[in-house]
Amino acid sequence: PPVVGHAVEARLYAEDVAAGFLPSTGTLTWFEVPDGVRVDSGVEAGSVVSVHYDAMLAKVVAHGPTREVASRVLADALARTRVHGVTTNRDLLVQVLRSDAWRDGEVDTGHLDRAADLGTPLLTPEGRRLHAVAAALAGAALRRSTARVLAGLPSGWRNVPSEPSRASFGDVVVTYAQSRDGVSVTVDGERLGVVVLSAAPDLVDLETDGVRRRFRVALDGLRAHVDSPLGSCTLLEDDPWPPPGSTLAAGSLTAPMPGTVLRVEVAAGQQVQEGQVLLVLEAMKMEHSVRAPADGSVTTVAVEAGQQVEAGSVLVVVEGGVPG
């Protein structure tokens, strides 16, 4: 049959672009590509992305009468893809497909090295603030739906004036209060002109500056995966009651990903300099060097060669202040 139109393929990878394209592992809590494109994939929600296989999650292909149309369809599909549980290169793919260089056919193998603006999240800081609002309201709705006593009352409701409810997501703090006039919301102490149209554990409907948006939320304990027309992000709510001893010792260097310790280059008591390789991890056929963030002294080496480690595991502890 004759060739009609154009097709463009993007490869969706489990990798952290901001960390130098490090492979990302974990369990896919959500994986949903919208209709209208071809998807070749061997994963689904619940699949475990381990260190033992290639990091590619899917090939996504779009077709159109022209290259520009196919690229636009593919970028839109990727932007609306819900993929949570692992860090991916999705935002980078969307940015490349929407760039002037791609449209004009000026992309080559050195493009990513030259384009410093690529790889930043599609979600802006302001969009992330709205996502945090949606996550806080979805969490409140979930608690309300599972309440055994007075479940019909809004979460945090008081019959006399009191402190508003609060949810902290790292550097973003959301407070909200229910009144007869609706829900008032502040983010980092700033009152937002947000109209809360509805809030359920999985869907929050907000209006800001006359624009209505629907925020799809997937709650997993203190973790909230949020998708909207603004972009996508995962927010981790600060535990208001952290378990004792959960704080890492100062100077702890942790594993950025699960993997195998290939080599340990230092020993306890050794003086190290900033940038010095302390140990080497292997994951997904790639090696990653863990380096000293500053001059200091190694007080603890918590692993040995050949050991399997999980993401977040303490590898080495380096205390600052090299004796003169």
Side-chain angles (χ1 to χ4, degrees):
V3 176
V4 178
H6 291 250
V8 181
E9 173 187 295
R11 299 192 174 192
L12 185 64
Y13 270 74
E15 61 184 10
D16 190 340
V17 175
F21 296 91
L22 280 180
S24 173
T25 61
T27 300
L28 283 169
T29 54
W30 206 284
F31 185 73
E32 177 184 311
V33 182
D35 295 335
V37 291
R38 171 177 169 174
V39 180
D40 295 338
S41 177
V43 299
E44 59 185 6
S47 294
V48 175
V49 181
S50 75
V51 299
H52 304 297
Y53 300 98
D54 189 274
M56 186 166 64
L57 301 177
K59 298 177 183 178
V60 185
V61 186
H63 179 268
T66 66
R67 179 178 179 274
E68 183 176 354
V69 170
S71 298
R72 187 166 62 245
V73 170
L74 182 57
D76 179 66
L78 288 169
R80 292 185 294 117
T81 292
R82 298 188 74 189
V83 51
H84 295 294
V86 298
T87 304
T88 74
N89 65 338
R90 186 269 306 274
D91 286 7
L92 173 65
L93 296 174
V94 173
Q95 289 170 330
V96 170
L97 289 166
R98 289 176 174 173
S99 67
D100 292 339
W102 174 266
R103 182 195 60 200
D104 297 336
E106 297 175 353
V107 173
D108 56 35
T109 55
H111 181 62
L112 295 183
D113 295 328
R114 296 191 303 269
D117 58 328
L118 294 177
T120 57
L122 293 176
L123 189 67
T124 65
E126 182 59 31
R128 188 170 182 270
R129 284 156 58 94
L130 289 175
H131 275 215
V133 171
L137 296 177
L142 177 62
R143 291 189 293 274
R144 183 169 64 248
S145 68
T146 56
R148 297 184 178 181
V149 179
L150 300 178
L153 293 180
S155 175
W157 183 86
R158 301 288 189 276
N159 60 355
V160 293
S162 182
E163 289 296 313
S165 299
R166 182 179 186 275
S168 178
F169 303 93
D171 58 340
V172 180
V173 178
V174 179
T175 58
Y176 53 96
Q178 180 77 32
S179 70
R180 293 178 180 178
D181 299 326
V183 181
S184 60
V185 179
T186 66
V187 178
D188 297 332
E190 177 185 351
R191 177 72 179 271
L192 294 187
V194 174
V195 179
V196 181
L197 301 175
S198 65
D202 60 346
L203 184 65
V204 176
D205 202 344
L206 303 178
E207 183 179 309
T208 55
D209 299 325
V211 179
R212 181 177 178 179
R213 299 183 181 92
R214 291 158 63 90
F215 297 77
R216 300 174 69 186
V217 184
L219 297 173
D220 179 18
L222 294 174
R223 202 176 301 274
H225 308 295
V226 187
D227 298 272
S228 79
L230 298 170
S232 173
C233 73
T234 296
L235 297 164
L236 181 62
E237 184 176 358
D238 296 343
D239 191 344
W241 300 285
S246 60
T247 303
L248 294 177
S252 296
L253 302 180
T254 59
M257 58 192 176
T260 302
V261 179
L262 283 184
R263 299 186 302 277
V264 177
E265 304 282 353
V266 294
Q270 181 175 337
Q271 302 298 322
V272 295
Q273 296 180 330
E274 179 180 353
Q276 181 176 337
V277 176
L278 307 179
L279 57 84
V280 179
L281 291 175
E282 180 185 42
M284 290 181 172
K285 307 175 185 177
M286 296 178 61
E287 293 188 8
H288 172 69
S289 296
V290 176
R291 300 175 181 272
D295 295 351
S297 174
V298 177
T299 60
T300 304
V301 177
V303 295
E304 59 185 18
Q307 182 176 337
Q308 296 282 334
V309 296
E310 296 297 325
S313 300
V314 175
L315 304 172
V316 182
V317 179
V318 178
E319 291 187 355
V322 177

